[in-house]
Amino acid sequence: MARRSKNQAKRNGRQGTPGWVWLLGGLVGGAVIVVVLLMRNGGDVGQLLPRPDPQARAPVASDEPVAQDAPEPRKPKYDFYDVLRDKEVVIPDAELDAQARAEAAAPPSPETPPVADGVRYLIQAGAFRSSSDAEALKARIALTGELARVESAQIEGGTIYRVRLGPYPNAASLAAAKRALGDHGIEALAIRAE
């Protein structure tokens, strides 16, 4: 048997006040407080109960109900399409495919530059309030073989992190890159920026 040192506490299950004593003390204390409050009010319990209003009348059926103002609908924290600036136009898929077919059908002319009139074709794969979310999407895109970048923009007093690809020289290469992202389950927008 191990010897007990002087510093070890002796354990005794009988020390302290039992729980039922504390419960009884709390009930008695609560009852004393209630008696004191009732004595202050002259012992009239009726003061504590609600009283009917003799002046009150029931609404008449001819009275029009008062319309309450509906609460203003909550604005979403972020709407993907609101992020795009005025100089950026989202290209619908049908228009993008039509442009790509037109470019493929037309013979390339040597005097025409690949990007006409300062128009740039971009892909926006996402926009986030958190840079870590944007970096995660950029890494996911890198696994598909495409090269993406994260751009920050100040919009409505907050910072938005946009994941973008490009610029692409023409609508055909833009459509091919967008299709490649779609094949990997990444939804993206084609953008024509001026």
Side-chain angles (χ1 to χ4, degrees), residues 3-11:
R3 292 181 68 187
R4 201 180 329 184
S5 70
K6 292 180 182 179
N7 294 336
Q8 280 185 326
K10 293 183 181 180
R11 292 189 173 90

Side-chain angles (χ1 to χ4, degrees), residues 77-123:
K77 288 184 179 179
Y78 175 69
D79 188 5
F80 185 82
Y81 300 102
D82 289 342
V83 173
L84 301 176
R85 290 289 187 198
D86 295 335
K87 294 184 178 185
E88 298 175 345
V89 178
V90 176
I91 305 171
D93 289 339
E95 183 181 333
L96 180 63
D97 291 338
Q99 281 182 348
R101 280 193 302 273
E103 288 175 1
S109 61
E111 65 271 357
T112 309
V115 178
D117 300 328
V119 175
R120 297 181 326 155
Y121 293 105
L122 303 170
I123 291 179

Side-chain angles (χ1 to χ4, degrees), residues 6 13 51 55 67 71 74 91 144 157 188 192:
K6 292 180 182 179
R51 296 180 188 175
Q55 303 286 330
R74 248 180 97 189
I91 305 171
T144 68
R192 181 177 40 236

Side-chain angles (χ1 to χ4, degrees), residues 127-168:
F128 304 93
R129 294 225 181 256
S130 164
S131 66
S132 61
D133 291 340
E135 290 294 333
L137 181 59
K138 178 183 170 185
R140 199 170 138 208
I141 291 171
L143 293 175
T144 68
E146 296 288 330
L147 183 63
R149 68 185 176 284
V150 176
E151 297 176 354
S152 63
Q154 293 294 324
I155 297 176
E156 296 178 7
T159 303
I160 300 295
Y161 299 94
R162 301 185 285 196
V163 181
R164 289 193 163 179
L165 293 83
Y168 295 97

